[in-house]
Amino acid sequence: MARGLVANTSGTALYTVIEDTAYRILPDGDREEIGTLLTRRGHVGMRIGLNQLVIVDGPYGYVYDLASGAFTQIPSDGWLGSETVEYFSGYFVFIDPATQTFYKSALEDALTIDPLDFATANAAPDKLIGQAVTGKVLVLFGEVSGEIWQDAGLADFTFQANTGARIEAGLLGAHTAKELDNSIFWLGRDARGAGIVYRLEGFQARRISTMAVEQVIQRAISDGEDMTKAVAYARQFDGHSVYVLQVPGLDTTWCYDASSGQ
């Protein structure tokens, strides 16, 4: 089973991780190995910049140079670990696990991380879980809340929080926050409960799941299923933009059609 999947911007290559091996898949279906990870299980985060593919699996990070084909582990000096990676304004963004801290790479170079290039998302007292990018904003999700950050071009740390925007719902699974239809969709929770699917609208969390769907998800939570292992992806089917969600313990896959709202 694939641990992660990402396509380049031109659609001429697909990159995936299966067990401990990273592959490039060409349009004719040929698959070639591009590198080896130090872990074999668990979902990975994958993002592509102008020159690099970045893969993170929690304790380790890796960079595949799209031009030279070199596959390199991110040096430990500035690397703090991360479950997810985003590409925002030319930087690769990571989250220090189990903290409120996020940090970034040098411009277009994930192999260079300044230990001082970090910031804290502390508008609420919850730890960061995941992140997603839409348009010109980076959304950082905590356990029960979210923050909006933008590239303000500041000298010390280029990103700045939008203090006037706070999302009143957090994230259950780090790999369920996905950009789709000029928005972000995620499996979340708030201070009152968990198991709701949200869409970002005007920096507010809008509930899009139905009561029937929520009952099934919340039953899985009550049964002790680990929601941190929930995953989602976004894609198009016949012109329809679809958010696809897989929740542990369920024998079904849920799909939300952003075009029809169903």
Side-chain angles (χ1 to χ4, degrees):
M1 180 180 293
R3 300 171 62 189
L5 201 65
V6 67
N8 63 5
T9 54
S10 64
T12 57
L14 189 67
Y15 297 90
T16 187
V17 174
I18 300 174
E19 294 188 340
D20 63 349
T21 306
Y23 296 95
R24 181 174 64 167
I25 303 173
L26 301 176
D28 61 5
D30 285 346
R31 183 178 71 178
E32 61 181 22
E33 181 179 334
I34 62 171
T36 303
L37 282 64
L38 296 175
T39 59
R40 297 178 62 89
R41 294 180 177 84
H43 203 72
V44 299
M46 305 176 72
R47 282 294 179 269
I48 293 180
L50 288 179
N51 310 304
Q52 297 175 332
L53 161 69
V54 175
I55 303 172
V56 300
D57 59 9
Y60 308 108
Y62 315 85
V63 173
Y64 174 70
D65 189 295
L66 299 175
S68 70
F71 191 87
T72 308
Q73 185 178 342
I74 298 177
S76 60
D77 289 351
W79 173 252
L80 303 173
S82 187
E83 297 290 338
T84 64
V85 55
E86 280 296 341
Y87 179 74
F88 182 56
S89 287
Y91 302 93
F92 292 96
V93 184
F94 311 99
I95 293 175
D96 185 6
T99 73
Q100 293 180 306
T101 300
F102 70 103
Y103 59 108
K104 69 176 185 64
S105 70
L107 188 65
E108 297 295 351
D109 183 11
L111 290 174
T112 302
I113 301 175
D114 187 333
L116 298 179
D117 265 346
F118 70 91
T120 303
N122 57 5
D126 51 348
K127 297 174 184 177
L128 288 177
I129 301 297
Q131 55 183 326
V133 170
T134 182
K136 295 184 177 181
V137 299
L138 168 69
V139 182
L140 296 168
F141 289 102
E143 295 162 313
V144 293
S145 69
E147 292 187 27
I148 304 295
W149 286 68
Q150 296 165 298
D151 186 355
L154 303 180
D156 292 335
F157 189 77
T158 188
F159 303 152
Q160 183 179 54
N162 183 338
T163 56
R166 182 168 178 266
I167 303 169
E168 299 295 336
L171 188 62
L172 267 180
H175 297 287
T176 67
K178 300 297 176 181
E179 193 277 335
L180 178 73
D181 198 34
N182 298 313
S183 183
I184 295 173
F185 296 75
W186 73 97
L187 175 63
R189 63 176 301 163
D190 59 19
R192 295 167 293 279
I196 297 174
V197 182
Y198 295 98
R199 174 177 183 158
L200 187 67
E201 283 191 359
F203 298 159
Q204 299 296 317
R206 181 174 76 85
R207 169 179 171 261
I208 61 168
S209 51
T210 65
M211 291 182 64
V213 171
E214 292 161 5
Q215 288 174 357
V216 174
I217 296 174
Q218 290 164 5
R219 191 176 304 122
I221 295 174
S222 299
D223 290 341
E225 297 292 343
D226 185 0
M227 291 298 113
T228 65
K229 292 183 170 57
V231 297
Y233 61 91
R235 63 169 301 175
Q236 288 187 344
F237 295 99
D238 298 329
H240 291 257
S241 297
V242 180
Y243 175 76
V244 183
L245 177 66
Q246 296 175 324
V247 175
L250 304 185
D251 57 2
T252 53
T253 295
W254 297 96
C255 301
Y256 177 82
D257 185 341
S259 304
S260 66
Q262 296 181 334

Coordinates of all heavy atoms in Angstrom, one line a residue, residues 35-66:
G35 N 14.9 6.4 -4.1 CA 15.6 6.5 -2.8 C 15.0 5.6 -1.8 O 14.0 4.9 -2.0
T36 N 15.6 5.5 -0.6 CA 15.2 4.6 0.5 C 15.0 5.4 1.8 O 15.9 6.3 2.1 CB 16.3 3.5 0.7 OG1 16.5 2.8 -0.5 CG2 15.9 2.6 1.8
L37 N 13.9 5.1 2.5 CA 13.6 5.8 3.7 C 14.1 4.9 4.9 O 14.4 3.7 4.7 CB 12.1 6.0 3.9 CG 11.5 7.2 3.1 CD1 11.6 7.1 1.6 CD2 10.1 7.4 3.5
L38 N 14.1 5.5 6.1 CA 14.6 4.8 7.3 C 13.4 4.1 8.0 O 13.6 3.5 9.0 CB 15.3 5.7 8.2 CG 16.7 6.2 7.6 CD1 17.3 7.3 8.6 CD2 17.6 5.1 7.4
T39 N 12.2 4.4 7.5 CA 11.0 3.8 8.1 C 10.2 3.0 7.0 O 10.4 3.3 5.8 CB 10.0 4.9 8.7 OG1 9.7 5.8 7.7 CG2 10.7 5.6 9.8
R40 N 9.4 2.1 7.5 CA 8.6 1.2 6.5 C 7.1 1.4 6.6 O 6.4 0.9 5.8 CB 9.0 -0.2 6.7 CG 10.4 -0.6 6.5 CD 10.7 -2.1 6.7 NE 9.9 -2.9 5.9 CZ 10.4 -3.3 4.7 NH1 11.5 -2.9 4.2 NH2 9.6 -4.1 3.9
R41 N 6.6 2.0 7.7 CA 5.2 2.1 7.9 C 4.8 3.5 8.3 O 5.6 4.3 8.7 CB 4.8 1.2 9.1 CG 5.0 -0.3 8.7 CD 4.6 -1.2 9.9 NE 4.7 -2.6 9.6 CZ 5.8 -3.3 9.7 NH1 6.9 -2.7 10.1 NH2 5.8 -4.6 9.4
G42 N 3.5 3.8 8.1 CA 2.9 5.1 8.4 C 2.9 6.0 7.2 O 3.7 5.9 6.3
H43 N 1.9 6.9 7.2 CA 1.7 7.8 6.1 C 2.9 8.8 6.1 O 3.4 9.2 7.2 CB 0.4 8.5 6.3 CG -0.1 9.1 5.0 ND1 -0.7 8.3 4.0 CD2 -0.2 10.3 4.5 CE1 -1.0 9.0 2.9 NE2 -0.8 10.3 3.2
V44 N 3.3 9.2 4.9 CA 4.3 10.2 4.8 C 3.7 11.5 4.2 O 2.7 11.5 3.5 CB 5.5 9.7 3.9 CG1 6.1 8.5 4.5 CG2 5.0 9.5 2.5
G45 N 4.4 12.6 4.5 CA 4.0 13.9 3.8 C 4.9 14.1 2.6 O 6.1 13.8 2.7
M46 N 4.4 14.6 1.5 CA 5.2 14.8 0.3 C 4.8 16.1 -0.4 O 3.6 16.4 -0.5 CB 5.0 13.6 -0.7 CG 5.3 12.3 -0.1 SD 4.9 10.9 -1.3 CE 6.2 11.1 -2.5
R47 N 5.7 16.9 -0.8 CA 5.5 18.1 -1.5 C 6.6 18.4 -2.5 O 7.8 18.0 -2.3 CB 5.4 19.3 -0.6 CG 4.1 19.4 0.2 CD 2.9 19.7 -0.8 NE 1.6 19.8 -0.1 CZ 0.8 18.7 0.1 NH1 1.2 17.5 -0.3 NH2 -0.3 18.9 0.7
I48 N 6.2 19.0 -3.6 CA 7.2 19.3 -4.7 C 7.3 20.8 -4.8 O 6.3 21.6 -4.9 CB 6.8 18.7 -6.0 CG1 6.8 17.2 -5.9 CG2 7.6 19.2 -7.2 CD1 6.4 16.5 -7.2
G49 N 8.6 21.3 -4.9 CA 8.9 22.7 -5.1 C 9.4 22.9 -6.6 O 9.2 22.0 -7.4
L50 N 10.1 23.9 -6.8 CA 10.6 24.2 -8.2 C 11.7 23.1 -8.5 O 11.8 22.7 -9.7 CB 11.2 25.6 -8.3 CG 10.2 26.7 -8.3 CD1 11.0 28.0 -8.4 CD2 9.3 26.6 -9.5
N51 N 12.5 22.8 -7.5 CA 13.7 21.9 -7.8 C 13.7 20.6 -7.0 O 14.6 19.8 -7.3 CB 15.0 22.7 -7.6 CG 15.0 24.0 -8.3 OD1 14.8 24.1 -9.5 ND2 15.2 25.1 -7.5
Q52 N 12.9 20.5 -6.0 CA 13.0 19.4 -5.0 C 11.7 18.8 -4.7 O 10.6 19.4 -4.7 CB 13.6 19.9 -3.7 CG 15.0 20.5 -3.9 CD 15.5 21.1 -2.5 OE1 14.7 21.6 -1.7 NE2 16.8 21.1 -2.3
L53 N 11.7 17.5 -4.5 CA 10.7 16.7 -3.9 C 11.1 16.5 -2.4 O 12.2 16.0 -2.2 CB 10.4 15.4 -4.6 CG 9.7 14.3 -3.8 CD1 8.2 14.7 -3.6 CD2 9.8 13.0 -4.5
V54 N 10.2 16.8 -1.5 CA 10.5 16.6 0.0 C 9.5 15.6 0.5 O 8.3 15.6 0.3 CB 10.4 17.9 0.7 CG1 10.6 17.7 2.2 CG2 11.4 18.9 0.2
I55 N 10.1 14.6 1.3 CA 9.3 13.6 1.9 C 9.6 13.6 3.4 O 10.8 13.7 3.8 CB 9.7 12.2 1.4 CG1 9.5 12.1 -0.2 CG2 8.9 11.1 2.0 CD1 10.0 10.9 -0.8
V56 N 8.6 13.6 4.3 CA 8.8 13.5 5.7 C 8.0 12.3 6.3 O 6.9 12.1 5.8 CB 8.4 14.8 6.4 CG1 9.2 16.0 5.9 CG2 6.9 15.1 6.2
D57 N 8.5 11.7 7.3 CA 7.9 10.5 7.9 C 7.8 10.6 9.4 O 7.7 9.6 10.1 CB 8.5 9.2 7.4 CG 10.0 9.1 7.8 OD1 10.5 10.0 8.5 OD2 10.6 8.2 7.3
G58 N 7.9 11.8 9.9 CA 8.0 12.0 11.4 C 9.4 12.3 11.9 O 9.8 13.5 11.9
P59 N 10.2 11.3 12.2 CA 11.5 11.6 12.7 C 12.5 12.0 11.6 O 13.5 12.6 11.9 CB 12.0 10.2 13.3 CG 11.1 9.2 12.6 CD 9.8 9.9 12.3
Y60 N 12.2 11.7 10.3 CA 13.2 11.9 9.3 C 12.6 12.7 8.1 O 11.4 12.7 7.9 CB 13.8 10.6 8.7 CG 14.3 9.7 9.8 CD1 13.6 8.5 10.1 CD2 15.4 10.0 10.5 CE1 14.0 7.7 11.1 CE2 15.9 9.1 11.5 CZ 15.2 8.0 11.8 OH 15.6 7.1 12.8
G61 N 13.5 13.4 7.4 CA 13.1 14.2 6.2 C 14.1 13.9 5.1 O 15.2 13.6 5.4
Y62 N 13.6 13.9 3.9 CA 14.4 13.5 2.7 C 14.1 14.5 1.6 O 13.0 15.0 1.4 CB 14.1 12.1 2.3 CG 13.9 11.1 3.4 CD1 12.7 10.9 4.1 CD2 15.0 10.3 3.8 CE1 12.6 10.0 5.1 CE2 14.9 9.4 4.8 CZ 13.7 9.2 5.5 OH 13.6 8.3 6.5
V63 N 15.1 14.7 0.8 CA 15.0 15.6 -0.4 C 15.5 14.8 -1.6 O 16.6 14.3 -1.7 CB 15.9 16.8 -0.2 CG1 15.9 17.7 -1.5 CG2 15.3 17.7 0.9
Y64 N 14.7 14.8 -2.7 CA 15.0 14.3 -4.0 C 15.2 15.5 -4.9 O 14.3 16.2 -5.2 CB 13.9 13.3 -4.5 CG 14.2 12.8 -5.9 CD1 15.2 12.0 -6.2 CD2 13.3 13.3 -6.9 CE1 15.4 11.5 -7.5 CE2 13.5 12.8 -8.2 CZ 14.6 11.9 -8.5 OH 14.8 11.5 -9.8
D65 N 16.4 15.6 -5.5 CA 16.7 16.7 -6.4 C 16.2 16.3 -7.8 O 16.6 15.3 -8.4 CB 18.2 16.9 -6.5 CG 18.6 18.1 -7.3 OD1 18.3 18.2 -8.5 OD2 19.2 19.1 -6.7
L66 N 15.2 17.1 -8.3 CA 14.5 16.7 -9.5 C 15.4 16.8 -10.7 O 15.2 16.1 -11.7 CB 13.3 17.7 -9.7 CG 12.3 17.7 -8.6 CD1 11.2 18.7 -8.9 CD2 11.6 16.3 -8.5

